[in-house]
Amino acid sequence: MKNIKNLETGSFIVSQAQLSLDLKMVSFDIQGTTAHVLMLNKQKIIDDKKTASIVKALKEINQEVDQGKFIINPEKGAQLTLEAKIIEKIGDIAYSVHTGRSRNDQIMVTEMLYMKNEIIELMKSFIPILAELFKLAKNNVKTIMPGYTHMQPAKPTNFGQWSLAYLSGFLKSIKTIEHYFDLYDINPLGACESYGTSWSLDREYTAKLLGFSKVWEIPQDAISSRGFVQLGYLNGLGEICLVASKMAQDLLLFNTFEYGMIGLGDEVAQRMHPITGSSIMAQKKNPDVLELIRSTAPQIIGFANIVANILDSLPMGYNRDSREVKEYIDLGLTKTKTMIKALEKVLTTIKINKAKMLSQVEKNYSLTTDLADCISQKSGIGYRLIYKIIGQVVDEAINKGKLLEQISADEIKSIALINNVKLELTDEEIKKAIDPQLVIEKRNHLGGSSTSSMKQSLKNAQNAIKDVVQSVNKKSLVFSGAKKKTDLIVNNLIQKYGT
């Protein structure tokens, strides 16, 4: 007999990192295998008694997984270890399990079931953030704050609008995640190695048992798309993290001594704490949590780029390169989930300094545009000309260190005459034109900051959150419901034919 040499690259091909990830997915491999066996039974490929023996063995192995007793043999990998376990329990009957199936579609469906579960749980965990932002928006309709463009004072807004803006951003990001969830709500099982099989499989039946809405029809597309599912989800996670990163940056600025518009609760940052305090500067309450939230987005985007580069130029059919994407979707999910928990705690404990926000608006000339708007509307003179007049007045005031509220009607009329414009204007009209609360109430259009506009926007946001909750719950019920129905079929078979 020819001497068989040891495979010296085995530990590279089946690495410890991959084994640990596979171990997290074994229960989903068992779920997919159970559905496949039940389908083979339905198609009269495996008889009832053998099927009962197989699904009973799979059920026992799943209990071992739950108890932490299942160990993957690195010389076999996860799929062949599972097969060996079944053989160990029921003998030769187990050889029927892999009928009409390849490790390629076995792995593909395992990973997709795992990701379905993870994404559903992630979306559920994000709902409290949506609810908290809605609460902040509702409670701060009249909390005046400065708005910025180019990081310079622009126009005043309210903290409710700021909260709604980020709520809207997150809602769109969730929609992106849901898009990929729905796009890949397709069952790859039955695609075999990439080219189908002569066995009379019922792929629609396994799709139903596993909670997929339909079959991934073309086998070559299904198997060659390993990694595209992870790439899609990473893009969705990246959007969530980008919005969170922008919010973190805002809060980092607002939390500085110079801005002083918000404070962080002691639940997320403390002075003289070994983690969030300084080892030498006792006054510091470091916003480490916001910095790390900010840092999550570039990492997730980086993982997505790595996955895209791995998939680039892979030929049709299965290629081992694609297994590497497991590491990056796992990292992406882990980092996003921990970021979500931290962000929720930040938002539920945030302290808003309403007086400082209002003071900033009154001192930073951000009411200049509203003053120009008021004069243009009252006089009927084109805005661009009034903009020029008010711009000259305000530029002179800033250079002299004079506040906007200290500018008189006479000064404005004087500059207007230089520009060949005669204005009728009083100091009282200026006072009303730059009253922050009155200014905010004038923005009465759809999406505006007035009380009535905000009321409608809040109602729209509340409905959008309800839609997300209903959608996520429906996805969860379909997924868990399919497993419950499958478990019921298994239990009935075992009860009727098991020994």
Side-chain angles (χ1 to χ4, degrees):
M1 185 177 177
K2 185 179 178 181
N3 290 329
I4 300 175
K5 294 182 179 180
N6 290 328
L7 180 66
E8 296 183 13
T9 57
S11 61
F12 171 69
I13 297 170
V14 185
S15 66
Q16 283 300 315
Q18 289 288 322
L19 285 172
S20 65
L21 291 172
D22 285 339
L23 192 58
K24 292 169 71 171
M25 299 184 197
V26 172
S27 61
F28 297 101
D29 194 348
I30 292 170
Q31 185 181 351
T33 300
T34 300
H36 181 69
V37 170
L38 291 175
M39 180 275 297
L40 293 175
N41 173 249
K42 176 182 175 292
Q43 297 300 97
K44 309 300 183 184
I45 297 169
I46 306 177
D47 66 35
D48 293 338
K49 194 164 185 179
K50 287 180 180 179
T51 302
S53 296
I54 294 168
V55 294
K56 183 181 179 184
L58 286 166
K59 191 172 181 179
E60 290 171 359
I61 295 168
N62 202 43
Q63 288 173 348
E64 292 174 23
V65 173
D66 292 340
Q67 294 165 2
K69 295 178 181 178
F70 186 93
I71 298 170
I72 298 174
N73 183 341
E75 293 185 3
K76 293 182 177 180
Q79 290 72 42
L80 292 182
T81 298
L82 176 59
E83 185 176 64
K85 279 279 186 182
I86 305 169
I87 294 169
E88 181 185 306
K89 286 183 177 291
I90 59 173
D92 290 353
I93 297 172
Y95 290 117
S96 298
V97 170
H98 212 53
T99 303
R101 185 178 71 164
S102 162
R103 271 188 299 179
N104 294 353
D105 60 337
Q106 180 181 359
I107 290 167
M108 188 80 174
V109 78
T110 297
E111 292 179 358
M112 289 180 71
L113 290 171
Y114 166 76
M115 286 184 287
K116 258 179 175 277
N117 184 69
E118 289 290 309
I119 292 297
I120 287 170
E121 293 307 310
L122 184 140
M123 288 193 291
K124 283 182 180 178
S125 74
F126 204 83
I127 289 169
I129 289 178
L130 302 179
E132 191 58 35
L133 282 169
F134 177 81
K135 181 180 174 183
L136 285 169
K138 186 178 180 181
N139 292 341
N140 289 281
V141 172
K142 293 188 179 295
T143 302
I144 302 296
M145 70 172 288
Y148 297 88
T149 61
H150 305 279
M151 292 185 68
Q152 296 294 308
K155 289 172 71 173
T157 182
N158 58 54
F159 196 70
Q161 276 262 308
W162 181 91
S163 302
L164 274 183
Y166 278 110
L167 172 56
S168 296
F170 282 130
L171 285 168
K172 291 195 293 290
S173 301
I174 291 290
K175 287 292 183 187
T176 300
I177 289 280
E178 288 194 292
H179 163 74
Y180 285 110
F181 189 98
D182 295 338
L183 183 66
Y184 291 113
D185 188 19
I186 43 181
N187 176 31
L189 198 56
C192 292
E193 66 294 297
S194 287
Y195 303 102
T197 178
S198 60
W199 292 94
S200 59
L201 307 184
D202 186 342
R203 299 182 68 199
E204 290 177 328
Y205 184 65
T206 52
K208 184 178 178 181
L209 291 177
L210 294 171
F212 289 103
S213 64
K214 58 184 178 180
V215 170
W216 199 325
E217 186 176 354
I218 307 301
Q220 290 184 63
D221 176 43
I223 302 305
S224 293
S225 293
R226 187 185 184 191
F228 279 82
V229 186
Q230 290 89 338
L231 179 60
Y233 283 138
L234 281 170
N235 285 329
L237 296 178
E239 277 194 35
I240 287 175
C241 293
L242 275 172
V243 178
S245 177
K246 287 166 62 66
M247 176 185 282
Q249 177 61 28
D250 274 4
L251 294 177
L252 279 162
L253 290 171
F254 298 166
N255 185 55
T256 59
F257 181 83
E258 290 74 15
Y259 278 76
M261 297 196 301
I262 64 105
L264 297 178
D266 289 342
E267 296 88 343
V268 297
Q270 295 177 20
R271 292 183 186 86
M272 299 180 70
H273 191 280
I275 294 175
T276 60
S278 168
S279 63
I280 188 172
M281 297 167 283
Q283 83 281 7
K284 293 195 73 184
K285 185 177 181 179
N286 292 328
D288 301 76
V289 62
L290 292 174
E291 292 165 340
L292 291 173
I293 289 170
R294 182 177 59 184
S295 77
T296 306
Q299 294 179 73
I300 306 301
I301 293 166
F303 299 151
N305 286 336
I306 291 170
V307 168
N309 285 325
I310 289 171
L311 299 177
D312 179 45
S313 300
L314 293 186
M316 184 64 73
Y318 177 75
N319 298 278
R320 194 76 168 214
D321 316 46
S322 61
R323 76 93 193 253
E324 293 291 291
V325 304
K326 277 191 295 189
E327 296 185 30
Y328 300 105
I329 186 62
D330 184 71
L331 282 168
L333 287 165
T334 300
K335 284 189 173 291
T336 304
K337 285 188 287 186
T338 55
M339 182 279 289
I340 287 170
K341 288 181 182 177
L343 181 58
E344 181 187 352
K345 187 57 66 175
V346 168
L347 293 175
T348 55
T349 59
I350 195 171
K351 301 171 183 176
I352 303 165
N353 190 336
K354 297 181 181 182
K356 187 62 179 288
M357 286 183 174
L358 179 59
S359 175
Q360 296 277 40
V361 168
E362 291 172 340
K363 294 177 181 178
N364 67 8
Y365 304 95
S366 62
L367 289 154
T368 297
T369 304
D370 295 287
L371 175 58
D373 282 343
C374 180
I375 295 172
S376 178
Q377 290 162 7
K378 177 179 180 290
S379 65
I381 297 170
Y383 176 80
R384 210 66 181 141
L385 182 54
I386 298 298
Y387 161 89
K388 180 181 178 182
I389 293 166
I390 295 300
Q392 292 172 4
V393 173
V394 171
D395 182 57
E396 187 176 323
I398 291 172
N399 290 332
K400 291 180 178 179
K402 181 189 289 188
L403 296 176
L404 191 65
E405 65 183 19
Q406 295 174 323
I407 295 172
S408 68
D410 287 342
E411 289 175 86
I412 295 174
K413 287 189 285 186
S414 176
I415 295 294
L417 285 173
I418 294 173
N419 287 273
N420 299 315
V421 174
K422 185 177 181 181
L423 291 176
E424 297 292 332
L425 188 65
T426 67
D427 290 335
E428 185 61 28
E429 286 172 328
I430 293 175
K431 185 179 179 181
K432 287 182 179 179
I434 61 172
D435 181 306
Q437 287 290 357
L438 294 178
V439 162
I440 293 297
E441 286 301 322
K442 286 181 180 178
R443 298 174 194 164
N444 207 29
H445 52 75
L446 179 64
S449 54
S450 70
T451 303
S452 60
S453 293
M454 284 287 288
K455 185 177 180 181
Q456 183 59 51
S457 293
L458 284 164
K459 184 179 179 181
N460 294 341
Q462 190 173 38
N463 289 334
I465 294 171
K466 285 180 182 177
D467 288 344
V468 169
V469 173
Q470 288 174 359
S471 177
V472 173
N473 286 342
K474 183 179 178 181
K475 286 175 170 57
S476 180
L477 283 171
V478 169
F479 188 59
S480 61
K483 186 162 191 317
K484 286 177 182 177
K485 288 177 183 177
T486 302
D487 289 343
L488 183 62
I489 296 170
V490 166
N491 291 336
N492 287 340
L493 271 168
I494 293 171
Q495 188 176 0
K496 189 172 182 180
Y497 299 103
T499 54

